Amino acid sequence: MEKIDTSYRFFPWITGALMAGVLVVPGFYVLLSLWLALFGAWHARGWIQRIWQPSQAIGAVPIWVGMAVYVLFGISVGLFHGYKAAYFDAYVPMLLAPFIVNAVVVARPPVKMLWFGAAAAAVLSGVVASYQSLYLQTGRAGGAMNNVIMFGDLAVVLAMVCAFGAFFGVTDTEPRWMRRFMFLGTAMGVWASLLSGTKGGWISILMLSVILVWMALRHWHWIRRVAVAGAVLFGVLVAAFLAPPDLVVNRISNGLQGAHTWLTTGQITEGSVSIRLEKWKQAIGMVVDKPLTGWTTEGSVIEIDKRLRQTSAGAYPGGGRWTQTENDLLQAAIVHGLPGLASSLFLYFGFLWGFIRIRQQAVHNMLWVGLATVGVLLVVLMLEFGLSVVVLGRNAFRHSLIFWGMSVLAYLILLRPQRPAGK
């Protein structure tokens, strides 16, 4: 990576402090994006040479194209339907993205800022979750989020970043406590997710455990790697059983029972799995009825609530008004039809394809591989979270996707191989 610009020594401290509080201090995830965007906008001159041309060189163009398609489609549809100003909030993080990348490239903070910021945020999330769930007996921990699912899922993202920081971001020449702090962040992020009782994060935890061990121990014999992966999975399962039963074990049992009942009888028996299966069923019917235009934002709320009340879902005692499908891609499809679904896929797969292309480049640098893999897995996690929550409909998810994606891209730009002068 290019030499650090010491004229911006304050940059990593401010950024790291904001990163540390993203899950436990209200509004910090927005402040983090705004701080970076304002810094990047102040130094926007030279963006083409500093960001766009290097993005072309490392294969990151699909990332920018995906965001551009998503934003242009969403804003155009919003203007056409005359949506209220709140609708356009969904596109603010993407509009800030170029400036976020520019901020990191201009300031050139050490890459440790990324790893330490994630670790501090994960540790704090685990501490706060323990305080809320175990000491205050509040049940499912939510940190400073207004939704426990967002807290649990984003804690998994922090754990993933910490784990890759431990294996790919800390060299053997650095103090041992640095890698231990990364591992602590990984464990606390997983613990926070478990205490949130968020089922969507548990599949991700198991998946990431296997992927990380397989990559980190790539030089080992496959039998040893399988053994270590099995030990890690066993450790995750032990942590799950150590958490209060109502947060993990009982929720898994109730969810499986609810799924079985819905599949056999169509009845809604609990407020997590069976209700989601019914929502998805009704959403598919709505997409079939209006595949091209969708039902619009307000129309989809009215229609899905109407359809659910005509089924056994209407008798569910946890009732109220059901306004979303709790599925990211289905929600996009019912609101703005298949074109809306396509715009969301452009965003996700633009990120995915871009980071895969970057990772495949012949750059013999483990930090490069680790960062590019974080970018790939970030998208995989968001897609997996989107199976049970509307990711692009939640501000915290949107800002997290853009912050981590753009930060990783910025460091990859700084790490890119430099051509010799005159070539």
Side-chain angles (χ1 to χ4, degrees), residues 126-319:
V127 170
V128 170
S130 299
Y131 176 73
Q132 290 177 334
S133 184
L134 304 180
Y135 180 76
L136 297 180
Q137 298 290 310
T138 57
R140 300 175 66 181
M145 301 283 104
N146 58 14
N147 185 299
V148 294
I149 296 176
M150 289 193 295
F151 177 75
D153 286 347
L154 293 177
V156 174
V157 173
L158 294 175
M160 181 267 290
V161 176
C162 291
F164 275 82
F167 284 108
F168 299 100
V170 180
T171 64
D172 293 335
T173 60
E174 292 172 311
R176 292 183 179 180
W177 67 266
M178 294 175 62
R179 181 172 278 115
R180 291 171 181 171
F181 186 52
M182 297 297 103
F183 283 129
L184 175 62
T186 303
M188 292 295 273
V190 170
W191 179 244
S193 183
L194 292 174
L195 291 181
S196 75
T198 305
K199 297 185 183 76
W202 301 338
I203 298 174
S204 300
I205 291 171
L206 298 176
M207 173 191 71
L208 289 172
S209 299
V210 174
I211 291 175
L212 181 63
V213 169
W214 203 258
M215 286 185 61
L217 307 179
R218 63 195 177 284
H219 299 306
W220 289 18
H221 191 276
W222 70 269
I223 295 178
R224 295 180 68 190
R225 286 196 282 176
V226 169
V228 175
V232 171
L233 291 176
F234 179 75
V236 173
L237 292 175
V238 169
F241 278 96
L242 289 175
D246 288 342
L247 298 182
V248 182
V249 177
N250 291 351
R251 284 181 56 76
I252 292 176
S253 176
N254 292 338
L256 291 174
Q257 291 175 5
H260 179 265
T261 302
W262 185 87
L263 290 170
T264 54
T265 69
Q267 293 182 339
I268 311 302
T269 57
E270 42 76 56
S272 181
V273 178
S274 58
I275 185 61
R276 279 180 170 80
L277 292 172
E278 184 64 32
K279 287 179 178 181
W280 300 346
K281 174 185 174 182
Q282 298 302 328
I284 291 172
M286 290 171 64
V287 174
V288 171
D289 290 343
K290 289 190 176 183
L292 295 179
T293 61
W295 296 79
T296 74
T297 301
E298 184 178 354
S300 65
V301 171
I302 296 172
E303 182 65 19
I304 195 169
D305 183 66
K306 174 184 173 182
R307 294 192 182 208
L308 284 170
R309 292 191 180 283
Q310 292 174 347
T311 69
S312 57
Y316 176 61

